[in-house]
Amino acid sequence: MNTFRSRSATVLTLVLSLFVLGTAVFGAREALVQRPIFLALVIVVALFRYPLLKNTRLWVLGAVIDVVLGAAAVASCIWVALNADTIMNSLPTAGPLEIGMTIVLVLTVLELSRRAIGLIFPSMVVVGLAYALFGQYIPGPLGHRGFDVYFVTETLLLSDVGLWGSLLGVAATIIAVFSLFGAFLLHSGGGATFMDLALRVSGRSTGGAAKIATIASGLFGMVSGSAVGNVATTGAFTIPLMKRLGYPAALAGAVEAVASTGGQLAPPIMGAAAFIMAEIIGSDYLTIAVAAALPAALFYWGVFATVHVTAQEEKLGQVPDDQIPPWHAILRVDRLASIVLSVGGLVVGILRGVSLQTAAFYGIAGAVAGMFVAAMVVKRQASRQTSKPAEGERTGILKPIAKQFRTALDEGATGLIIVGILLAGAQVLVSMINLTGVGVTLSSMIVGEGNAPVLVIGLVVALVCMVMGMGIPTTAAYVLVAATLAPALVKIGVSPIAAHMFVFYYATLSVITPPVCVGVFVAAGLAGERWVAVARRAVMLGAVTYVIPFLFLLYPDMLNPGLSAGYLEAALSGAVFVAAFAYLFGGARVSRWRVLDIGAWLAVAIIATVPSLVGLALSSLGLAAMIWLRQRHELAQASKGTAAAT
């Protein structure tokens, strides 16, 4: 049975991948055809990937339930696709059949969400549905007139603003093909090259192993849609490496968790949130991606600097030379072909002005071309070394390329399953939020009379974002807070892109923020350490990220790239602020009194946040003076150690 299930899942993921590629090449069908077909495929694959009662004595019962759920859900999706014109043109009313199909679809999506990520997210969707149906019984400002099951069904099933809304639309088009693009880039050899580049660039420096984790996780995360998946992928290599070199297990796990989380904040994909953000605020994708570049650079500069200072203070080891690949082993045609051609294809598509999904298809085609280039180069080198071809060479280059191609399709579609299911569930929740108007109500409650300072309102929004995002993947967390909390910031005059980037950062940080820090849990398991210890180090390593979003409020030009004075001031002030925070949380000493050190570094960081050239000048001078004092302190400590030894 397990073999049948595995083979069936593989076949279905290939079908889903081909559907996505067809959409990228030929364009999407109308909304109520494209989205139901996509959801039907995702549901079927998810039922095979996450079977009910697996490995228990009741697996037969689980299989029967899955078959019934799958058949009913797929039939409901097909019914919507076949009746798309009628639904959009005649605005039909809901009857018992429509109510039954809605219940089946929502129940299936929530059950698959529970199997994939746990109870928290589906429970929130259930609360949203209950709130829409029974809001008339809630006293106070959060109460509303209530909506009956017929109206809720018409919203969810018989319109394009419910289950078939824009979130599922983005998942069925742009996110889907970019998920495949990331998989092709990594499985065409890009993943191994990323890791070797990280080893080569930072392996010999202070804290080299931790910097390797930071660089590799950042590179993986930029094309990955999951912080937790990023931890599991790169952490399997980086965490054992750090532990072998004497890093405390808690620090090793924390570095990986924080660096992998940062990958969700960095363009081009941003955990798929970039595409959703563009859809919500009515902007284009490139505007979002470019705006996110400086904050992401500040994040990684902060993590990199904190790791460096921590390694210096704790005397952590470097990566041995025999584990660092030479440049000539990395900068080879067969190693770089897929990366250059895939990224080149994506850029060419964007410059030509084609749709984003078509540009991503160009990138996929480039990755496949890179597979052929790499295979031919390797084969030619092998033929030069021996006149008699090896056994493996006789089969040609098509077989290994076909295996890479199949693996990339399978991995890309498998990663898309969770995103598709979560966005379908998030679409249900968002439609209920819009239906009841609770997002506007919460915004009004947070803003109040509008007399509170912007930073105070931002602090309240940040805390609520982290609580609402706990235990939920990046994309779903962002959708939730964008619908309920971003309007509060917009209402007090914050630009839409700054407001959405603000809530996106705090929703993402929930991955490493206790008590429900999923990324930390995975890293702690790989490090063999208690999650509490890993979480404590992760919060310290990522401390700067908890403050960076407030720079969006203090420096509005930070998200408006260009050569303007405002943007340059924001970049320089942000760099000084991040450096001061790195020294502070890295434990850098400048005197014999730790309290004095903390106060001095904190003062530099606070002055750097003052939006003025005077503040920038003072904080820069203060940072330079503190670094000079730190070097003097280290020399003094080294002299004492030498004197004591002699």
Side-chain angles (χ1 to χ4, degrees):
M1 185 65 186
N2 288 335
T3 302
F4 169 76
R5 181 187 295 121
S6 177
R7 289 178 178 174
S8 300
T10 299
V11 171
L12 289 168
T13 53
L14 294 178
V15 173
L16 176 58
S17 297
L18 293 175
F19 174 77
V20 170
L21 291 177
T23 298
V25 176
F26 302 109
R29 302 288 301 276
E30 54 266 30
L32 291 190
V33 175
Q34 175 82 17
R35 298 168 190 179
I37 293 175
F38 172 78
L39 183 59
L41 288 171
V42 167
I43 285 174
V44 174
V45 176
L47 287 170
F48 276 100
R49 293 290 189 191
Y50 303 100
L52 184 64
L53 303 176
K54 180 182 178 182
N55 299 327
T56 69
R57 290 181 296 178
L58 298 176
W59 68 269
V60 175
L61 175 62
V64 171
I65 294 174
D66 282 351
V67 169
V68 173
L69 273 181
V74 170
S76 301
C77 291
I78 293 174
W79 184 89
V80 171
L82 292 176
N83 292 276
D85 291 338
T86 302
I87 292 172
M88 294 306 299
N89 295 325
S90 65
L91 300 176
T93 56
L97 175 63
E98 289 77 13
I99 292 174
M101 288 190 294
T102 303
I103 291 173
V104 166
L105 282 171
V106 172
L107 181 63
T108 303
V109 167
L110 295 185
E111 168 59 13
L112 289 173
S113 298
R114 181 197 66 80
R115 298 182 197 179
I117 65 167
L119 276 171
I120 296 178
F121 177 69
S123 297
M124 296 177 73
V125 179
V126 170
V127 169
L129 287 166
Y131 178 70
L133 292 169
F134 307 109
Q136 66 271 30
Y137 300 112
I138 300 176
L142 289 176
H144 60 84
R145 66 183 182 87
F147 301 92
D148 61 28
V149 67
Y150 296 97
F151 192 84
V152 170
T153 296
E154 290 165 8
T155 301
L156 289 178
L157 187 74
L158 303 178
S159 75
D160 60 353
V161 297
L163 188 59
W164 318 114
S166 60
L167 296 182
L168 188 63
V170 174
T173 52
I174 298 175
I175 294 176
V177 72
F178 267 91
S179 177
L180 290 179
F181 169 74
F184 270 91
L185 178 58
L186 295 180
H187 288 281
S188 61
T193 304
F194 284 159
M195 188 65 72
D196 285 349
L197 280 171
L199 274 166
R200 183 68 220 182
V201 168
S202 60
R204 290 193 177 96
S205 63
T206 302
K211 291 175 182 176
I212 289 168
T214 303
I215 295 173
S217 298
L219 291 172
F220 271 91
M222 288 171 68
V223 295
S224 166
S226 169
V228 177
N230 198 4
V231 174
T233 302
T234 58
F237 171 82
T238 59
I239 291 176
L241 174 62
M242 285 185 275
K243 290 180 67 178
R244 284 200 309 271
L245 296 174
Y247 285 65
L251 177 60
V255 169
E256 181 58 46
V258 172
S260 293
T261 300
Q264 304 297 284
L265 305 174
I269 296 179
M270 298 166 62
F275 311 115
I276 299 173
M277 192 181 298
E279 182 76 20
I280 292 175
I281 68 177
S283 179
D284 61 277
Y285 159 75
L286 282 179
T287 299
I288 304 297
V290 173
L294 176 57
L298 291 176
F299 168 84
Y300 275 106
W301 160 232
V303 175
F304 214 78
T306 305
V307 163
H308 181 82
V309 175
T310 301
Q312 286 182 327
E313 294 297 322
E314 300 186 19
K315 305 294 188 294
L316 299 176
Q318 300 176 353
V319 179
D321 288 346
D322 60 357
Q323 295 187 29
I324 299 177
W327 279 116
H328 66 80
I330 302 173
L331 302 180
R332 301 197 320 247
V333 173
D334 58 304
R335 298 292 304 275
L336 297 176
S338 292
I339 295 177
V340 172
L341 292 176
S342 60
V343 175
L346 179 65
V347 172
V348 167
I350 292 174
L351 293 178
R352 288 189 60 190
V354 300
S355 65
L356 277 176
Q357 53 262 42
T358 303
F361 176 77
Y362 287 177
I364 293 172
V368 175
M371 293 179 189
F372 278 96
V373 171
M376 288 188 291
V377 169
V378 171
K379 185 175 181 180
R380 180 174 297 178
Q381 290 174 344
S383 64
R384 288 176 180 174
Q385 294 174 0
T386 175
S387 58
K388 182 180 179 181
E391 184 65 27
E393 294 173 31
R394 296 194 183 113
T395 60
I397 62 174
L398 293 180
K399 187 174 181 179
I401 290 177
K403 184 178 180 181
Q404 284 180 294
F405 191 89
R406 187 170 60 250
T407 301
L409 287 177
D410 185 57
E411 290 289 332
T414 300
L416 178 60
I417 292 168
I418 295 180
V419 175
I421 289 295
L422 289 181
L423 284 181
Q427 184 67 67
V428 173
L429 181 58
V430 169
S431 64
M432 294 300 99
I433 289 172
N434 293 334
L435 180 65
T436 59
V438 69
V440 177
T441 302
L442 283 175
S443 296
S444 299
M445 292 173 66
I446 292 173
V447 174
E449 299 294 329
N451 298 324
V454 173
L455 295 182
V456 173
I457 294 174
L459 180 60
V460 174
V461 170
L463 292 173
V464 177
C465 280
M466 284 190 286
V467 172
M468 294 179 70
M470 286 182 177
I472 305 177
T474 302
T475 307
Y478 164 66
V479 169
L480 178 60
V481 298
T484 56
L485 298 172
L489 295 174
V490 174
K491 192 172 182 179
I492 59 174
V494 178
S495 68
I497 190 171
H500 281 263
M501 202 71 75
F502 185 93
V503 299
F504 168 59
Y505 261 65
Y506 284 108
T508 301
L509 283 171
S510 63
V511 176
I512 60 171
T513 304
V516 188
C517 38
V518 185
V520 167
F521 295 159
V522 175
L526 292 171
E529 178 60 275
R530 294 178 302 112
W531 75 266
V532 175
V534 177
R536 183 178 64 83
R537 297 300 296 258
V539 170
M540 293 182 67
L541 277 174
V544 66
T545 322
Y546 291 89
V547 188
I548 285 176
F550 280 92
L551 297 180
F552 306 159
L553 307 182
L554 294 169
Y555 294 92
D557 287 331
M558 178 171 279
L559 300 177
N560 296 314
L563 296 178
S564 66
Y567 184 73
L568 294 175
E569 181 187 350
L572 293 173
S573 297
V576 173
F577 165 79
V578 166
F581 247 57
Y583 280 106
L584 170 63
F585 285 94
R589 305 298 299 268
V590 296
S591 70
R592 292 180 296 174
W593 299 282
R594 180 61 180 154
V595 174
L596 181 61
D597 295 341
I598 292 174
W601 291 119
L602 194 58
V604 172
I606 292 173
I607 294 173
T609 62
V610 178
S612 70
L613 294 178
V614 174
L616 175 58
L618 289 175
S619 60
S620 300
L621 291 173
L623 180 64
M626 292 290 290
I627 293 174
W628 179 73
L629 288 173
R630 178 173 183 261
Q631 291 175 339
R632 288 196 60 183
H633 178 75
E634 288 182 339
L635 288 173
Q637 294 297 316
S639 298
K640 289 181 180 179
T642 303
T646 56

